[in-house]
Amino acid sequence: MSTPSLSLPGGTWNLGDLTVTRFGYGAMQLAGPWVMGPPVDREGALAVLREAADLGVTHIDTSDAYGPRITNELIREALHPYSESLHIVTKVGATRDAQGGWPIARRPEDLRRQIHDNLTSLGLDVLDVVNLRLGDAEGPQPGSLAEPFETLVELQQQGLIRHLGVSNATEEQVREAQSIAPIVCVQNMYNLAHRHDDKLIDRLATDGIAYVPYFPLGGFTPLQSSALSAVAARSKATPMSVALAWLLQRSPNILLIPGTSSTAHLRENIAGAGLPLSDEDLTALDDIGR
C-alpha cells in the first residue's frame, strides 16, 4: 500500500470495537447502470477501490444486492486479503428482480441466505457490520422490525456477524432495534435539503452510535440551492464539496460514504469534504432544509 497523498477529513469513529475513518466509500456506483450487471470499465472500478484503500479509507459500504453480487466480487478481487484496518459494512433485507427492482426479502430464510451470500462473495468468515434494510424504495415505512432483526441477532450469536445496524428506518424502528440488541449505526437518507433526521442524529450522537447518510449529495436529484451556490462561490469550491463538508461538520457521529466510479472524483470528494466552513457559512447552509 502506498503512502496516502491526501489527508482524510473528519478523523475516525468507532463502530463498536471497530475504528473506521469518518470519510468512507460507498461501492454501489461500481455496478452497471441502475446498479445492475457489471461495470462498463471493470479495471477502472478495481482501481477506485484500490485507490480508496491506498488513501487510507477504512470504511467501505456495500451490499450483495448491488449488481447483484457485482460490487462484493469487485471488492474481493481488488482488496482481498483485507487489511486488518479495513472494515466492510453490508446490508440485507432486499434483493433484485429481472426488471431492476428492489423487492423486500426480510423473512428469516431470506436473511440467512443473504448473510451467507455476502460471506461468500466477499470471501469472509464473519461480516464486520450488517445493516437491516427496512421500508421500501419509497423510503422508511412504519411497522415492527422484531422478526427480521431477531434473525440477525441469532446469526450474530452464531459468530457470523460482529455488529448490527439498521437502514431506511423510522425513529421508532431505531428505538425498537435498540431494545432488542445493541446497534452501531443507522443508515438513512439525509443531506442539506432532507433534514428529517436532525433530532435522531443528535440522539444517536449522545448514544455513541454512527449515522451514515445515503444520497449525501441528493442521489438521483443533485442538490440545488442558491444558498449552497453562494457558499460555494465564497469558498471557491464546488457545491458538492460544500455539501460534504457540511455533513462532516454537522455532527461528529456522521460518517460519509459518497460513491464514485472515478479515482479523480474520489480525490475531489476527499479534498472537498475537508473544506473549512465559517460560522456564517454554516448558518446559511443550516437554513436550506428547515
Side-chain angles (χ1 to χ4, degrees):
M1 182 176 292
S2 61
T3 301
S5 56
L6 286 175
S7 176
L8 291 180
T12 60
W13 182 266
N14 292 332
L15 297 173
D17 60 348
L18 308 176
T19 300
V20 298
T21 51
R22 287 185 65 207
F23 189 97
Y25 175 73
M28 185 174 71
Q29 291 189 29
L30 294 183
W34 303 105
V35 202
M36 288 291 287
V40 174
D41 180 3
R42 184 178 183 85
E43 290 306 312
L46 296 172
V48 170
L49 288 163
R50 290 169 180 145
E51 180 81 347
D54 284 348
L55 291 172
V57 169
T58 63
H59 173 201
I60 293 180
D61 180 82
T62 187
S63 170
D64 204 53
Y66 297 163
R69 294 177 300 281
I70 296 297
T71 62
N72 280 4
E73 291 172 355
L74 289 168
I75 290 168
R76 181 176 184 174
E77 182 176 346
L79 301 175
H80 195 277
Y82 306 113
S83 163
E84 289 185 4
S85 64
L86 180 66
H87 301 297
I88 299 172
V89 178
T90 190
K91 64 182 67 64
V92 295
T95 186
R96 305 304 300 278
D97 59 28
Q99 292 73 42
W102 301 80
I104 292 169
R106 293 197 288 266
R107 297 175 302 176
E109 58 268 32
D110 295 329
L111 296 173
R112 294 187 185 100
R113 183 185 68 253
Q114 290 170 68
I115 291 300
H116 286 284
D117 286 348
N118 273 279
L119 288 167
T120 298
S121 58
L122 288 167
L124 292 168
D125 296 320
V126 57
L127 299 169
D128 281 337
V129 182
V130 173
N131 285 314
L132 173 63
R133 184 184 187 274
L134 299 162
D136 55 28
E138 300 301 316
Q141 303 295 332
S144 175
L145 54 64
E147 183 182 47
F149 195 71
E150 287 169 356
T151 299
L152 293 184
V153 172
E154 291 175 7
L155 293 165
Q156 183 183 40
Q157 292 169 345
Q158 293 170 20
L160 299 180
I161 303 169
R162 288 195 173 90
H163 299 290
L164 297 171
V166 292
S167 176
N168 205 31
T170 67
E171 183 164 4
E172 291 74 19
Q173 289 165 337
V174 173
R175 290 185 182 277
E176 184 182 15
Q178 289 181 282
S179 73
I180 296 171
I183 62 173
V184 298
C185 56
V186 173
Q187 187 179 109
N188 277 0
M189 182 176 177
Y190 181 85
N191 54 53
L192 269 171
H194 295 84
R195 303 283 297 278
H196 51 282
D197 272 355
D198 272 332
K199 291 182 180 179
L200 176 60
I201 290 170
D202 295 338
R203 181 178 75 78
L204 293 174
T206 300
D207 292 345
I209 296 171
Y211 184 94
V212 187
Y214 67 78
F215 292 164
L217 301 177
F220 300 113
T221 307
L223 295 172
Q224 297 182 31
S225 160
S226 58
L228 175 59
S229 298
V231 172
R234 285 200 299 271
S235 304
K236 294 183 171 64
T238 67
M240 298 302 98
S241 293
V242 172
L244 290 174
W246 176 82
L247 281 168
L248 277 185
Q249 294 178 56
R250 163 65 181 82
S251 182
N253 66 323
I254 288 182
L255 310 184
L256 298 187
I257 51 167
T260 178
S261 57
S262 159
T263 55
H265 190 206
L266 172 67
R267 287 175 165 265
E268 289 172 5
N269 283 343
I270 292 172
L275 179 73
L277 297 173
S278 68
D279 290 342
E280 177 187 1
D281 293 336
L282 292 172
T283 298
L285 295 169
D286 282 344
D287 288 339
I288 292 174
R290 290 180 173 173

